[in-house]
Every structure is written in structure tokens, then in C-alpha cells.
Amino acid sequence: MSATSLAEKWVDGTAGMTRPSNVVWCDGSKAEYDRLIEEMLRDGTLLPLNARTYPSCYLHRSHPSDVARTEQLTFICTRDKQDAGPTNNWMAPPEAKAKAGAYFDGAMRGRAMYVIPYLMGPAGSTMSRTGIMVTDSAYVVASMHIMARVGNVAMKAMRRDDDFIAGVHSLGDLSPDRRLILHFPEEKLIWSVGSGYGGNALLGKKCHALRLGSWQARQEGWLAEHMLIIGVEDPKGDVTYLAAAMPSASGKTNLAMAVASLPGWRVWTVGDDIAWIHVDSTGQLRAINPEKGFFGVAPNTSPKTNPNATAMVKSNTIFTNVALTPSGEPWWEGLTPQPPAGLVDWQGRPWRPGTPAAHPNSRFTVPVHQCPSVAPNWEEPQGVPISGFIFGSRRTKVIPLVFEAFDWTHGVFLGSAMSTETTAAITGQVGVVRRDPMAMLPFCGYNMADYFAHWLATGPRASNAPRIFRVNWFRKGEDGKFLWPGYGDNVRVLKWIVERIRGGGRAQETPIGWIPAADGLDTEGLGLSRAQVAEALRVDRGEWLQALADLGDFYDQFGSRLPQAIAATLADTRRKLGT
Ligand code: SAT
Ligand code: MN
């Protein structure tokens, strides 16, 4: 059977279930994109923005109850519940299919079903993987055009006739009561119904590249991670590549394209959200960005916090749920110090002060190549060599600004120990602390205990395992103010990380890892007192012991599946802290 016929058979079967009026195979061309935009401008799915200041930019307003990922409606559907693990919602495959099947049944009546073959990763890379998704949303098709490589390039990349992840997406009736995001890793299948929101509906992104990707990665011996990829260039012109895991809406896109506050230093952007990482034949870890676009959080993006993002979204960008100015420009909180007069809010109503103008999880969708800091080698098939991993989360307490793991195993422990304060990127309460190992809690497609074991086993396969660091830009002082300026000044932390990787960088040993020595961080010109820097780096034994007790409870749910090395490192850390 040829690749097309197997794909066609599956598409036919899906159309039999969803009953569209017609089936459109997408070719990924500019003409196709332009046609979709025209159609959406006609039916009101998109609004045009100011053609002079924001050429080829559009605004999409989603259903007000469909503005973020819905984790409580997201399931891993493995035959054995233990394979999904205690941190995932699980449903038995037959039950999942019966439930969602009822929502999919005839869901595309009177609408077109678009078939989108897509490639995650650069063309010609052995690390890239293919998918075919169907959808009844033109907004999803246009967004996929920006976020992934669509069309023939994907069909050509298929290595076997069944070499694709199959994804079915329908807007359904957009009701949260009939919304399900289902993953069947054993069948390489995704079913998503009832949401048009990015993380739920652009199936190449979290569903494929992370949830099914992580499953595939474990089977095939690589890593699929919720990580940005950057090259950090020093004043001599040497570039060190780093991958950093951070929870959604916690400054990942800002760090991915940071403008260094230190003379001579520069950050090159390879990716802002997902990294696929392989150990090459020489034992070097190499990473690709499987995506081709950014789906970034708009609020707080400004010429001050992220000048590169502000510049790149000035053309060819689809905005979702931002506010609109009278001159037809997008606006969101933080873009300018003062909101312009006459704003229309994200739901299309005259804006009332005291209410959000843009939704806190409003987004921009834009091609990577428009980023002024894009790395010249960002699409190279062999990927970039990774020398360091960073685990970062949002914690107002406990976690110091930066510290380094003692070794690979300790670094995996630090990643597994991550917790964070929740943001508007997920539906639910904002600002509550929850565990989020490696920023993968919502994205790991299998038992997280096995995921930790997979990480533990990967380091020793590398000839020179990357160093592992933990960062936290969000720690606050007694006065409730952030202790660290963040943004472009985070490059000062990257500088210390790069120095450590190269065998320099002054550090002092603590029970939790290596912390920069008193003069280790370059804080010149920041105007921070020594005491302030010390406070940002302080290890509070009491706070740590409490946090580790909570971590122990979290680990307990994995039972005997938790790798011994993780449990032993926790015990060791407790002992060092002096229990
Ligand atoms: O909405 S997405 O899940 O794609 C982005 C994010 O929350 O990280
Ligand atoms: Mn993300």
C-alpha cells in the first residue's frame, strides 16, 4: 500500500464519522493561505488590522469559554492505566472513543474538512517527524501553516506508509461540556473536539510534538521536551547552545529572544517552546525546533520586555483575543504604559477600565524567520549541539535565582522536583503552586516515573553530558518586589552558566547545588546591593525542607516505579540540609 493510500483510507474513515460537505487536501502554499484568510475575513472569523502599520496581520476572537488549554479535559488513553501514570488523566481507549465519537458524529456537516499533512522539524532531518491532521476550522489550518511545515514536504518526509501521527480535530459545538483532547499513543492517534484554542487544536504542537512525541522519543531513545533552544554568543563570538524548560506563560519566549544587557553578548533564537533532542553518533546531544512559528503570549510583551517579539509581530501575524485600537492596531496590557483611548476589548466590546482589555492568555502566531534574533542555523537538519539544560519555574519563594546541579543524576532530580505558580495559559486558578516536573506535567504522554528513568538513562549515553541548571527569575523579597530585574538582564545569569560549562564561573557549594559565589554573577551597572544579590541566591533550609516534604508526597504516588536514583537523591539532599 502506498503512503497516500493508507492516509487516504484513514481520511475516508474519518470523513465517514464527521460527514463534512467536502474534503480539501492542503498543499501548504501561499495561495492556499491567502484563500483561507480571504474566506475568514468574509465570514468574520478574522478582522483585518491596520494594513499600513500591521500589514497582513489579523485578529481572531475566540469563543469566550475557549481561551486556554483545558487540562481537566485532556486524557492519555493507553490500554494499561499505569502507562499513563498518576499525573495524567486516563480513559480506556474504547470508552474514550465512544464518548468523543458521539461528539464527532456528523460534527462537520455543512462544513469543509481540511486534511493537513505536516512535518515537525526541518526538511531533510532524521530527527523530524510527520503527521496528518484533519480539521473543520480554517483558523486552525492557517495557524498550522505558520506553526508547521505543511503539504508535500510532509508527504515526502514519510519513511513508511504508516509513518504519521493521525489527528482528528473538530470545533464541535465549542461547549466545554462536549470538549475532549484525547491521545492514543499506542495507535499514534489524537482526537480533539470542542475547542479551537491553540494548545488544544493545533495538533502538531502539544498533542503531537510533546505528548505523543515523548512516547515515541522514549521508544526510539531521544527526548521530546517543553524547551526553548538558544545560542548564547560571548564577546569573542563563541556560541554555546542551551535548552531551557519553563512552564507556559513564564517568560520562555522572552528568554528565547532576549536582548542582552551586557555588551558583546547576544542571544540567538532557535526555538521558544519545544525541543527534540537526540544523541548523535559521536555522543553529542543535538536539538531541533520541531516548529516553524511562535504561538506566544501577548500581554506584557513590549519594546522593553521583548523588543524582538514586538518587532516580529508587525507583519504576517494572527493575533488571538487581543484588544483593538480605534486605528485598527492590536493592543494588550503592557504594550504601552497607558491604554490608548477608545479601545475595544478582546470580546469586541468597548473596553471598561478595571477589566482586561486583552485576554491574559491572548496570543500571537508568527513565523520564526521574522524574529530579528533568529539563529542563522535554526533550520539545519543536524540541529544544534546542546551544552546545557536549564530548568526554570515561577516561584516567589524558596528557589534561588540560579544554581547548578552536582552531576547529571542530580540535575534530573532538580528537574523532577520543579514546581511552579500557575498562569493564565491553562483554564483554572492562577497563582497556585503545583508540581510541574521539567515543565512537562501537562505534556508528558506516559508515566512520569518512566520519564525520569528515561532522562536518567540519557545522560550516560552522551560522551559529554550537558550541565544542568535551575533558574527562577520570579523570587520576591520581604517587600513583595521581585529581587531580580529579569528580561535582558537574565543574560547575566546565562553568562555565568556559559562560564560554568566552559570550566570557569566562580561558585560555592550548598546542599542543593552550586550557587554563584559572591562575585560570581556579573551585576555591574544593575544598581543592586550585595545584600540584594545574596537574597536572590539564598538557600533557606527551612523553606527547602518543607518543599522537599511536599516533593516526597508527590514521588510517593509513583510507588515502586519511581527510579531509585531519584529517591536516593531526595534522601541525600535532606541529609545535607540537616534533617
Ligand atoms: O497553548 S499552548 O499549550 O500551545 C501554549 C502553552 O500553554 O505553552
Ligand atoms: Mn508551551
Side-chain angles (χ1 to χ4, degrees):
M1 209 181 274
S2 76
T4 348
S5 65
L6 197 72
E8 272 169 0
K9 220 176 123 191
W10 172 74
V11 167
D12 280 353
T14 307
M17 170 170 75
T18 56
R19 307 245 155 241
S21 56
N22 58 316
V23 176
V24 183
W25 280 76
C26 298
D27 62 12
S29 65
K30 165 105 180 24
E32 180 175 87
Y33 181 82
D34 292 345
R35 248 188 340 263
L36 288 159
I37 297 289
E38 276 303 310
E39 228 176 83
M40 288 191 280
L41 287 170
R42 262 200 312 274
D43 72 13
T45 305
L46 292 182
L47 300 174
L49 293 174
N50 189 311
R52 197 174 48 81
T53 53
Y54 283 85
S56 301
C57 289
Y58 308 95
L59 168 62
H60 172 69
R61 294 194 185 119
S62 75
H63 190 278
S65 70
D66 187 29
V67 292
R69 276 184 292 107
T70 38
E71 292 183 1
Q72 72 283 9
L73 302 174
T74 302
F75 291 81
I76 304 296
C77 309
T78 44
R79 282 189 299 265
D80 181 350
K81 184 175 181 185
Q82 296 307 318
D83 290 337
T87 60
N88 277 313
N89 298 317
W90 175 83
M91 216 189 287
E95 183 195 344
K97 285 194 180 156
K99 239 183 158 159
Y103 309 154
F104 273 125
D105 189 20
M108 297 187 185
R109 258 196 199 102
R111 289 192 256 183
M113 179 172 94
Y114 301 94
V115 183
I116 314 170
Y118 63 88
L119 174 67
M120 300 307 289
S125 174
T126 53
M127 301 187 223
S128 297
R129 294 289 181 272
T130 40
I132 302 179
M133 73 167 285
V134 304
T135 180
D136 54 4
S137 159
Y139 166 79
V140 166
V141 186
S143 301
M144 284 294 286
H145 264 245
I146 298 175
M147 298 302 297
R149 294 154 180 93
V150 167
N152 215 13
V153 61
M155 297 307 280
K156 278 212 300 250
M158 283 180 203
R159 297 162 301 179
R160 298 176 308 274
D161 51 353
D162 68 339
D163 186 24
F164 62 94
I165 301 271
V168 187
H169 171 256
S170 171
L171 294 171
D173 63 5
L174 289 178
S175 157
D177 298 332
R178 280 175 297 281
R179 179 180 302 162
L180 284 170
I181 315 346
L182 307 172
H183 305 76
F184 305 90
E186 287 140 336
E187 298 172 61
K188 297 195 298 186
L189 180 66
I190 304 159
W191 275 17
S192 168
V193 62
S195 168
Y197 172 73
N200 295 334
L202 310 179
L203 302 188
K205 196 173 178 60
K206 307 297 187 180
C207 301
H208 177 160
L210 288 178
R211 297 198 190 96
L212 265 65
S214 63
W215 178 283
Q216 257 179 350
R218 174 156 166 267
Q219 284 182 329
E220 299 173 5
W222 48 282
L223 299 170
E225 299 301 324
H226 192 206
M227 290 182 171
L228 62 80
I229 310 166
I230 48 175
V232 181
E233 183 176 328
D234 70 10
K236 289 204 304 281
D238 290 331
V239 181
T240 305
Y241 292 93
L242 306 171
M246 289 170 186
S248 305
S250 298
K252 217 155 113 219
T253 301
N254 291 340
L255 183 63
M257 46 196 80
V259 174
S261 65
L262 292 171
W265 288 78
R266 214 178 151 146
V267 172
W268 294 101
T269 312
V270 178
D272 85 323
D273 196 36
I274 299 174
W276 282 356
I277 305 158
H278 290 239
V279 185
D280 76 8
S281 56
T282 69
Q284 171 67 53
L285 263 68
R286 308 194 70 94
I288 58 163
N289 171 10
E291 301 190 281
K292 193 177 78 63
F294 304 117
F295 181 64
V297 180
N300 267 322
T301 305
S302 75
K304 233 176 114 192
T305 62
N306 193 335
N308 284 324
T310 316
M312 76 183 173
V313 301
K314 285 261 159 82
S315 62
N316 308 311
T317 301
I318 299 179
F319 294 92
T320 302
N321 293 337
V322 298
L324 188 62
T325 73
S327 55
E329 297 188 346
W331 192 85
W332 50 81
E333 278 74 5
L335 177 61
T336 54
Q338 292 304 321
L343 268 184
V344 171
D345 78 7
W346 65 279
Q347 295 186 74
R349 304 170 305 199
W351 174 62
R352 282 180 298 116
T355 65
H359 186 275
N361 191 40
S362 54
R363 299 270 172 164
F364 51 77
T365 311
V366 58
V368 169
H369 68 78
Q370 290 195 186
C371 180
S373 60
V374 69
N377 55 345
W378 81 278
E379 282 192 289
E380 268 180 27
Q382 74 272 25
V384 296
I386 296 296
S387 309
F389 284 115
I390 299 173
F391 293 117
S393 71
R394 182 186 280 271
R395 289 302 309 269
T396 48
K397 289 192 174 123
V398 192
I399 310 297
L401 174 64
V402 60
F403 56 105
E404 183 188 350
F406 295 122
D407 55 29
W408 181 266
T409 300
H410 185 239
V412 175
F413 163 76
L414 290 180
S416 78
M418 261 169 71
S419 57
T420 198
E421 284 149 36
T422 52
T423 66
I426 47 168
T427 300
Q429 215 184 331
V430 168
V432 296
V433 177
R434 71 162 183 179
R435 308 238 60 103
D436 192 357
M438 282 125 161
M440 280 289 277
L441 181 85
F443 306 122
C444 185
Y446 61 101
N447 191 312
M448 274 206 125
D450 300 345
Y451 170 77
F452 301 151
H454 182 49
W455 260 85
L456 288 168
T458 300
R461 284 176 51 215
S463 49
N464 193 6
R467 303 275 198 103
I468 300 180
F469 300 83
R470 180 76 171 84
V471 303
N472 175 28
W473 320 132
F474 301 94
R475 196 173 190 181
K476 290 183 176 172
E478 298 276 85
D479 57 3
K481 294 208 179 101
F482 289 115
L483 288 162
W484 181 251
Y487 304 110
D489 286 314
N490 290 337
V491 175
R492 297 167 186 271
V493 172
L494 297 183
K495 179 183 175 189
W496 183 77
I497 287 174
V498 168
E499 287 168 354
R500 292 293 294 167
I501 289 169
R502 303 226 184 113
R506 283 180 297 280
Q508 76 192 66
E509 190 173 346
T510 77
I512 61 166
W514 295 97
I515 302 254
D519 56 351
L521 272 186
D522 184 343
T523 55
E524 208 188 306
L526 267 189
L528 289 182
S529 69
R530 256 178 178 258
Q532 276 170 301
V533 177
E535 181 60 15
L537 293 170
R538 190 170 59 87
V539 180
D540 185 304
R541 279 168 193 268
E543 279 182 356
W544 267 87
L545 284 170
Q546 207 182 332
L548 293 180
D550 181 71
L551 178 62
D553 293 343
F554 173 70
Y555 285 161
D556 281 346
Q557 60 184 328
F558 297 105
S560 61
R561 222 150 155 158
L562 185 78
Q564 218 285 323
I566 296 288
T569 309
L570 171 59
D572 202 42
T573 310
R574 276 180 160 151
R575 194 178 42 71
K576 283 186 184 155
L577 283 161
T579 24

